[in-house]
């Protein structure tokens, strides 16, 4: 059989078989015990308490969804030009992401959210004319995206980090033709992750399932079907831990709570930190909650110099917290992690505030 006649996933398994004896052994496994995360069978932040709050078992994270970003629309790609070169470069973006990962980890960042359809490069936006999707219309995988993703996941494995991999983003899901294509994309991604023998990746099916998705299977009433699909795809006794998220301030519905291995919350729009603890408490009261870990993986509130902010409120309720930052009006290149092109360093005052508080809290 000629190689060019093989399907994309068949090629993955063909080359996996060839390289099986030379692939570097994986170093990192993420797991869950009750409401706590473990990395390589050790509780995260082992033994750590801060201001009377238990930190052990939490998973501090940051929204870094643009790590594999590209724009396949020739009309809009000019919007993402780097200030120094005046052109967009997807590989440069990923290379610079990877080059900063060890620095993030040194402050106690054990996870980050990356998404195969990104997020708004402006932070928030009504329309999305750009095309940033790791899938073809039929749900096949675009090799360039997965080459970039592999570089990030390999580095995370080396560093002992547990990334959250988002599969879909509203405003980009319509680039898949139909529900069959969505299902195909999910199956293909999980098969690809298994083919690489990754065991340190957490899955977020889609970012904010209750916000403007075209395909019903990505909407709140049915998204648990995709969670169950991920859970069903086991290889050699291992399956990926999986969840999905809702918009800011929302409490997940019973079907998602019952199906998920961990519960994802967002704090966008929650200006009063006391409402964060209320959101966590309300989540724990949802029918079907089984003491899963609760993780904020998106919150665009800061005030890191204040004793009470959304970060400290979350950990006081024993919920992990995730920093979301974008470049606001008239800010420089160094601001934000979602705005493209991205400065992946810790160079703005907000970034410094988050990382320094996280370092204090986690004891790194």
């Amino acid at each position: 059989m000629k190689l060019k006649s093989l399907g994309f996933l068949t090629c993955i398994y063909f080359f996996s078989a060839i390289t099986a004896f030379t692939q570097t052994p994986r170093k990192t496994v993420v797991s869950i015990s009750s409401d706590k995360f473990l990395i390589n069978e050790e509780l995260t932040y082992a033994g750590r308490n801060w201001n009377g709050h238990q930190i052990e078992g939490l998973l501090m994270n940051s929204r870094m969804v643009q790590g594999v970003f590209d724009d396949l629309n020739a009309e809009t790609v000019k919007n993402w030009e780097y200030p120094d070169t005046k052109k967009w470069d997807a590989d440069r973006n990923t290379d610079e992401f990877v080059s900063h990962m060890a620095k993030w980890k040194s402050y106690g960042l054990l996870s980050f959210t990356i998404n195969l359809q990104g997020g708004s490069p402006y932070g928030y936006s009504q329309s999305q004319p750009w095309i940033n999707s790791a899938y073809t219309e039929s749900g096949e995988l675009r090799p360039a995206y997965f080459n970039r993703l592999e570089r990030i996941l390999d580095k995370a494995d080396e560093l002992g980090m547990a990334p959250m991999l988002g599969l879909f983003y509203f405003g980009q899901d319509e680039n898949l033709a139909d529900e069959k294509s969505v299902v195909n994309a999910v199956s293909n991604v999980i098969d690809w992750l298994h083919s690489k023998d990754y065991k340190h990746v957490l899955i977020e099916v889609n970012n904010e399932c209750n916000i403007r998705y075209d395909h019903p299977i990505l909407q709140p009433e049915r998204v648990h079907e995709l969670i169950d699909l991920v859970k069903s795809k086991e290889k050699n006794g291992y399956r990926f831990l999986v969840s999905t998220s809702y918009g800011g301030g929302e409490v997940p519905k019973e079907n998602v709570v019952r199906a998920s291995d961990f519960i994802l919350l967002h704090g966008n729009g929650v200006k009063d930190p006391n409402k964060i603890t209320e959101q966590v408490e309300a989540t724990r009261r949802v029918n079907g909650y089984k003491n899963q870990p609760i993780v904020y993986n998106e919150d665009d509130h800061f005030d890191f110099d204040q004793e009470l902010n959304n970060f400290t409120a979350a950990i006081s309720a024993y919920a992990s917290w995730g920093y979301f930052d974008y470049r606001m009006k008239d800010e420089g290149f160094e601001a934000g992690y979602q705005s493209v092109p991205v400065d992946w360093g810790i160079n703005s005052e907000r970034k410094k505030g988050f990382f320094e508080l996280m370092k204090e809290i986690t004891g790194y």
Side-chain angles (χ1 to χ4, degrees):
M1 179 165 39
K2 294 182 179 179
L3 184 59
K4 68 179 180 180
S5 69
L6 297 175
F8 182 79
L9 283 174
T10 306
C11 288
I12 287 177
Y13 292 122
F14 179 83
F15 287 115
S16 294
I18 292 175
T19 59
F21 296 106
T22 59
Q23 181 172 303
T24 302
R26 298 301 180 190
K27 297 180 178 180
T28 304
V29 178
V30 64
S31 58
I32 289 172
S33 177
S34 185
D35 60 348
K36 295 175 172 57
F37 287 95
L38 299 88
I39 292 179
N40 292 336
E41 300 184 349
E42 294 185 3
L43 288 167
T44 58
Y45 315 115
R48 181 67 179 173
N49 286 274
W50 178 79
N51 285 0
H53 303 304
Q54 183 181 13
I55 306 303
E56 180 180 77
L58 295 179
L59 194 70
M60 305 310 179
N61 64 93
S62 179
R63 183 172 171 83
M64 310 287 204
V65 291
Q66 311 290 26
V68 296
F69 178 90
D70 202 0
D71 187 354
L72 307 181
N73 183 348
E75 299 299 316
T76 55
V77 69
K78 62 181 181 293
N79 294 326
W80 326 125
E81 295 174 348
Y82 282 96
D84 55 351
T85 63
K86 306 303 179 186
K87 65 179 182 179
W88 167 245
D89 186 334
D91 284 313
R92 171 182 172 178
N93 176 60
T94 298
D95 288 342
E96 292 182 354
F97 184 109
V98 170
S99 73
H100 286 92
M101 289 171 64
K103 184 71 170 179
W104 304 337
K105 171 74 183 297
S106 74
Y107 284 83
L109 192 79
L110 295 184
S111 184
F112 52 84
T113 299
I114 193 165
N115 194 295
L116 292 171
Q117 293 190 322
S120 171
Y122 297 116
Y124 295 97
S125 52
Q126 289 299 314
S127 62
Q128 295 187 37
W130 51 87
I131 301 173
N132 174 37
S133 180
Y135 319 109
T136 67
E137 288 187 357
S138 63
E140 298 303 312
L141 309 184
R142 299 187 194 273
Y145 276 85
F146 283 82
N147 287 339
R148 294 193 295 273
L149 178 63
E150 185 172 4
R151 278 141 55 191
I152 291 173
L153 296 185
D154 282 357
K155 187 65 174 180
D157 178 70
E158 174 190 324
L159 292 171
M161 301 176 81
M164 287 178 270
L165 178 63
L167 307 187
F168 303 103
Y169 184 73
F170 59 83
Q172 294 296 316
D173 70 301
E174 61 258 41
N175 290 313
L176 289 118
D178 50 28
E179 184 170 304
K180 180 181 178 181
S181 302
V182 172
V183 172
N184 190 38
V186 173
S187 291
N188 286 343
V189 172
I190 301 305
D191 287 344
W192 181 86
L193 292 170
H194 276 309
S195 78
K196 299 295 180 181
D197 200 30
Y198 293 131
K199 293 182 174 64
H200 65 311
V201 180
L202 302 163
I203 303 297
E204 177 185 23
V205 169
N206 54 338
N207 175 78
E208 300 187 346
C209 66
N210 60 323
I211 308 290
R212 300 200 308 273
Y213 279 94
D214 282 24
H215 301 290
I217 200 169
L218 287 166
Q219 296 169 8
E221 293 76 14
R222 293 186 56 206
V223 69
H224 66 278
E225 296 175 29
L226 295 177
I227 294 175
D228 288 339
L229 173 59
V230 173
K231 290 166 68 175
S232 74
K233 295 184 73 65
E234 186 176 296
K235 182 180 179 183
N236 297 329
Y238 180 84
R239 70 165 180 85
F240 291 96
L241 301 170
V242 57
S243 186
T244 198
S245 62
Y246 284 73
E250 293 288 325
V251 174
K253 305 301 182 187
E254 179 179 346
N255 62 322
V256 165
V257 169
R258 285 189 181 278
S260 297
D261 295 304
F262 54 99
I263 310 298
L264 290 174
L265 301 181
H266 285 181
N268 308 348
V270 183
K271 297 180 180 180
D272 179 0
N274 293 301
K275 298 294 185 182
I276 291 290
T277 57
E278 291 177 15
Q279 186 184 9
V280 174
E281 291 165 359
T283 299
R284 291 191 172 117
R285 292 194 298 268
V286 174
N287 286 337
Y289 177 69
K290 305 179 292 293
N291 203 34
Q292 301 104 308
I294 294 178
V295 180
Y296 284 86
N297 72 330
E298 181 176 340
D299 192 341
D300 63 354
H301 292 84
F302 314 112
D303 294 329
F304 299 121
D305 60 337
Q306 302 298 310
E307 182 177 348
L308 181 63
N309 54 55
N310 285 14
F311 188 177
T312 59
I315 65 170
S316 74
Y318 197 65
S320 305
W321 195 80
Y323 170 69
F324 167 38
D325 192 11
Y326 58 95
R327 190 176 299 123
M328 301 178 192
K329 186 178 179 182
D330 298 326
E331 290 187 326
F333 173 60
E334 72 281 358
Y337 284 128
Q338 185 159 302
S339 302
V340 181
V342 187
D343 176 353
W344 295 111
I346 306 174
N347 299 318
S348 73
E349 291 307 308
R350 284 196 303 276
K351 291 176 181 177
K352 291 175 185 176
F354 165 65
F355 276 96
E356 288 167 3
L357 179 56
M358 179 173 55
K359 188 178 183 70
E360 177 188 333
I361 289 171
T362 62
Y364 263 65

